[in-house]
Amino acid sequence: MKSCINISEYNKHLCVGCRACENICTCGAINILEDNEGFLYPVVNPDLCVNCGLCQTVCPMLVETCNEKGYSKTFLCTSDKSRYYKNSATIGLCTILSETIIKNGGVVFGCWLNESDWKAYHISVDSLADLQKIRNSKYIQSDTGNSFSEVKQFLKEGKQVLYIGTHNRMEKDIVPNNNIPFKSIEIYGFYRKKIYKNFKTIKCFYDAYKNC
């Protein structure tokens, strides 16, 4: 049997909680759980794990993610439409791209904040009316749930997909075919969830945002 290092034993500070390992595991041996600070990390059930190493092939922090050609492209964007830049945290780029995808019959995945428990989740939207749910920055780690598997299903149905979230390897490992109409936008950085459970902290963020 192939010998592999348990993915939950790697340096946890490198983990972004993207759930790629959980989604790719065919044995159901990986669960993503919150630690005492509210960050998501993989926990492997040794009784179910067969040491296939598949989880390590999709981990964004264990696999080289740099541009194979040795360089990267940077794009600067802006908008002259006030309905975008006045109602967005980052000029409205994601909204502009999302509207294009949806108008073409596609699906957009983004972060939705459930204000009842102050937790963020990745959901899919396919209408302009629902797009507002995933607009603006949340600044806390989002639970991607089964979104990777859902992306694969939508792509099999021939739909265009736009995925907006923090660092992941979906483009290369979850969705390996470059000819598939899929694109992801990666956004860096988030706070721990439990900081939002403090009402005073929430109010401070709210007041600061309201007065922008």
Side-chain angles (χ1 to χ4, degrees), residues 108-127:
V108 178
F109 284 79
C111 180
W112 167 68
L113 179 65
N114 184 348
E115 295 186 12
S116 64
D117 61 4
W118 288 96
K119 291 185 178 181
Y121 303 89
H122 255 67
I123 63 172
S124 63
V125 298
D126 57 7
S127 70

Side-chain angles (χ1 to χ4, degrees), residues 146-193:
N146 296 319
S147 61
F148 289 4
S149 299
E150 293 172 7
V151 166
K152 293 179 70 174
Q153 183 57 42
F154 282 128
L155 293 175
K156 287 180 180 179
E157 297 172 4
K159 292 181 178 292
Q160 291 184 330
V161 177
L162 173 65
Y163 196 98
I164 305 168
T166 49
H167 191 70
N168 64 74
R169 285 282 291 177
M170 189 184 299
E171 270 190 89
K172 194 167 185 179
D173 297 301
I174 302 296
V175 186
N177 187 344
N178 291 330
N179 295 321
I180 291 178
F182 168 84
K183 191 62 181 175
S184 68
I185 297 179
E186 297 181 0
I187 303 168
Y188 180 81
F190 46 75
Y191 296 106
R192 59 189 178 96
K193 292 180 182 179

Side-chain angles (χ1 to χ4, degrees), residues 89-107:
T90 52
I91 215 66
L93 171 63
C94 292
T95 301
I96 296 171
L97 296 177
S98 297
E99 288 181 353
T100 300
I101 293 293
I102 291 174
K103 288 177 181 178
N104 288 333
V107 181

Side-chain angles (χ1 to χ4, degrees), residues 187-204:
I187 303 168
Y188 180 81
F190 46 75
Y191 296 106
R192 59 189 178 96
K193 292 180 182 179
K194 291 191 176 181
I195 195 173
Y196 279 78
K197 291 183 180 295
N198 183 310
F199 177 77
K200 291 182 179 179
T201 302
I202 295 173
K203 188 176 186 302
C204 178

